[in-house]
């Protein structure tokens, strides 16, 4: 009877980490592509959703609301192909922190709004209840994905790896 040694935790991590990175990268890409895609067809509604947070003048909110879907789509495409992954993850993390802060602010001030994260958003109709806690928890989960990619941006099947000439992904601390 031969006993095969079990792989060490470090060895398992080295094997699993690149594939967790692919899942994080593609998952976050899907989030941004869906979020941007649902808003890009109605930029005025996106502006109204940003304005509903009541943290900036209307004109500024409408410009930010009109630009946001394109930023989200760009992040989604970059993450999908794995190009500028660390930068895309950093911008994603910054946006998600702003989104969490905005939702928390709306909640603390007693506003009744839809976050507008995956659609038009804005003021809720009378009798509707906002769902701030699930929205914050969801965005914190997305923030974890972005954080993973900030630490380990290189993943298999990425343009970053192809440009660097990586045949395989190794543990990198770049």
């Amino acid at each position: 009877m031969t006993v095969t040694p079990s792989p060490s935790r470090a060895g398992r991590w080295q094997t699993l980490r690149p594939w967790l990175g692919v899942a994080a990268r593609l998952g976050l890409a899907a989030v941004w592509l869906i979020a941007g895609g649902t808003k890009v067809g109605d930029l005025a509604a996106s502006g109204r959703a940003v304005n509903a947070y009541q943290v900036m003048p209307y004109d500024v909110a409408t410009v930010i609301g009109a630009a946001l879907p394109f930023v989200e789509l760009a992040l989604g495409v970059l993450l999908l192909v794995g190009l500028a992954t660390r930068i895309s993850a950093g911008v994603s993390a910054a946006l998600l922190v702003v989104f969490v802060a905005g939702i928390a602010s709306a909640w603390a001030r007693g506003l009744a709004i839809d976050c507008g994260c995956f659609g038009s958003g804005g003021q809720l109709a009378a009798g509707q209840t906002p769902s701030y806690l699930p929205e914050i928890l969801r965005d914190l989960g997305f923030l974890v994905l972005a954080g993973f990619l900030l630490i380990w941006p290189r993943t298999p099947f990425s343009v970053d790896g192809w440009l660097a000439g990586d045949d395989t992904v190794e543990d990198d601390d770049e």
Side-chain angles (χ1 to χ4, degrees):
M1 174 181 200
T2 57
V3 176
T4 57
S6 63
S8 69
R9 287 185 192 261
R12 282 189 298 236
W13 174 246
Q14 293 295 5
T15 302
L16 188 57
R17 187 207 45 82
W19 301 106
L20 289 173
V22 169
R25 183 171 56 83
L26 296 179
L28 199 53
V31 166
W32 291 130
L33 290 170
I34 292 167
T38 59
K39 290 182 264 198
V40 76
D42 190 352
L43 300 179
S46 183
R48 287 190 301 275
V50 172
N51 188 59
Y53 285 89
Q54 301 175 12
V55 293
M56 61 191 72
Y58 177 79
D59 291 339
V60 175
T62 56
V63 170
I64 290 173
L68 188 59
F70 297 102
V71 172
E72 292 170 337
L73 289 170
L75 287 170
V77 169
L78 288 170
L79 288 165
L80 182 66
V81 300
L83 179 61
T85 302
R86 180 170 278 154
I87 292 167
S88 299
V91 172
S92 295
L95 275 176
L96 289 162
V97 166
V98 168
F99 293 167
V100 167
I103 295 166
S105 170
W107 192 5
R109 291 180 291 134
L111 300 178
I113 62 172
D114 178 329
C115 75
C117 304
F118 294 96
S120 58
Q123 298 294 329
L124 291 176
Q128 285 186 308
T129 307
S131 57
Y132 296 130
L133 183 59
E135 292 169 350
I136 289 171
L137 293 175
R138 178 202 60 215
D139 286 355
L140 290 174
F142 297 154
L143 186 57
V144 168
L145 298 179
F148 187 97
L149 293 171
L150 273 168
I151 298 167
W152 297 289
R154 286 268 180 81
T155 62
F157 309 112
S158 67
V159 174
D160 287 340
W162 177 74
L163 289 173
D166 289 351
D167 289 335
T168 60
V169 175
E170 298 177 16
D171 190 34
D172 61 351
D173 296 318
E174 57 179 74

